[in-house]
Amino acid sequence: MSARGIRRVAMLSAHTSPLDQPGTGDAGGMNVYVLELSRQLAAHGVEVEVFTRATSRHLPPVVDAGDGIRVHHVAAGPFEGLTKDELPSQLCAFVRDVLRVEARHDPGYFDLVHSHYWLSGQVGTVLRERWGVPLVHSMHTMAKVKNAALASNDRPEPVGRVAGEEEIVRFADRLIANTAEERRELIDLYDADPSAVAVVHPGVDLGVFTGSVPDDEPPLIVFAGRIQPLKAPDVVLRASALIDVPHRVAIIGGPSGSGLDRPTELTDLARDLGIADRVEFVRPVTQAELAQWYSRAAVVCVPSHNESFGLVAIEAQACGTPVVAAAVGGLTTAVADGVTGTLVDGHDPADYAAAIRPYLADAAFRREAGAKAVHHAESFGWDVTAERTLDVYAAALRDRAVARKESR
């Protein structure tokens, strides 16, 4: 049991497992978030049971993912071939199996529910009522925000998601926002109660993302993330074509979302731009391997159209590598503009080329920014994230206790 009296949390990550490899499919920063937060909560004495949809018949029903962490693979719909857009139709089956797990134990087995992304939030609203426990929800991304900053060749989020998110905001006892900007968006766009929205920054594993190695020559630009229009990897390639300093580019990740519709788009683009000889496409890698790529890079580029936070930016900075990123969402918090990297308004490749070039051309300049980046990233450890999340849990439990007392 934690110092705050919290024994056990049901962590919901319905559409993607924290055990999946980030960087492809639906696996990304949220996977890292759920797993790392769970590890830190367990270190604080809180048992965490994560519920995620089984995507293979060969997955064991329960996996011990570390001391105090269990991952339940819930059977809900076809194991393979089900897209994220098709998952809402399977949420009833998901709820049923989560309820079955809880029913094997005495009442009050879980102290609260923490759901991640709107699909899990829909499940969380049911569990909240059934178990009589608080619901804490993390949006990670929001439909209204994504649709307002949609890439030209991307698909808008469906109206059903918007309605689902609005319902979660009404029912959740607490909402966790990654940044102050996300908190404002929840209040302004979703009419969230300001007193119910807490800002808790995601973290970075400072034991994995650390140190640096000598700069590669020619200098290296790294993009890491899912290959889809939202993440704008094409901007990195187009910017590279405009930079006159000798350099190389590594695009690390796999296709996801609408990017699955055009699996050869980036390789075709590199060829058409005449830069195929300087570009390396790398399949998703482990966290330790990713840290090595960051450390070798002269600069990491994050030109996303929207990011609720941008873990890639913090991870890269923890490795001593400056970041050039879009001035959107949580990236404006993750990157200290003009200190640890450069923020760029819009998505014009010429602007990114201008921002990236100094880091390639001037080794002393990038080393100075990299040293400041390490210091900046040190304040984003997962232990701090867990402490602040536990404070949110405790506040939700106190409110629920007061409400019960007043209803008697």
Side-chain angles (χ1 to χ4, degrees), residues 203-211 314 318-319 374 377-383:
V204 61
D205 188 337
L206 296 171
V208 172
F209 296 98
T210 185
I314 284 293
C319 293
V374 171
E378 286 173 348
S379 63
F380 290 94
W382 281 112
D383 55 337

Side-chain angles (χ1 to χ4, degrees), residues 227-306:
I227 307 303
Q228 59 180 172
L230 173 71
K231 303 294 185 178
D234 64 295
V235 171
V236 181
L237 297 183
R238 296 180 193 279
S240 171
L242 300 174
I243 297 173
D244 57 0
V245 177
H247 66 280
R248 296 175 300 115
V249 180
I251 304 292
I252 305 170
S256 174
S258 56
L260 293 167
D261 301 335
R262 300 175 292 274
T264 66
E265 183 175 35
L266 287 186
T267 54
D268 294 344
L269 178 61
R271 181 199 63 218
D272 294 344
L273 291 170
I275 61 170
D277 60 339
R278 76 176 69 153
V279 180
E280 181 178 0
F281 292 94
V282 182
R283 296 177 64 85
V285 296
T286 66
Q287 296 280 279
E289 291 171 312
L290 187 57
Q292 293 176 3
W293 278 102
Y294 290 150
S295 295
R296 290 169 50 194
V299 62
V300 169
C301 189
V302 189
S304 306
H305 288 269
N306 176 250

Side-chain angles (χ1 to χ4, degrees), residues 10-20 26-35 38 48-55 70-74 87 91 94 98 113-121 123-124 127 136-138 140:
M11 195 81 72
L12 307 182
S13 182
H15 81 287
T16 181
S17 170
L19 303 182
D20 288 347
D26 291 321
M30 197 185 90
N31 298 64
V32 176
Y33 186 109
V34 172
L35 184 58
S38 297
V48 180
E49 303 212 11
V50 182
F51 295 88
T52 189
R53 197 183 75 84
T55 55
R70 291 200 292 179
V71 176
H72 297 264
H73 292 119
V74 177
L87 278 178
L91 291 183
F94 192 93
V98 176
V113 176
H114 187 172
S115 55
H116 299 265
Y117 193 67
W118 79 277
L119 293 168
S120 298
V123 176
L127 302 182
V136 175
H137 181 72
S138 297
H140 293 282

Side-chain angles (χ1 to χ4, degrees), residues 37-48 66-69:
L37 175 61
S38 297
R39 286 172 173 165
Q40 288 295 328
L41 292 175
H44 282 75
V46 178
E47 292 181 38
V48 180
D67 291 341
I69 307 170

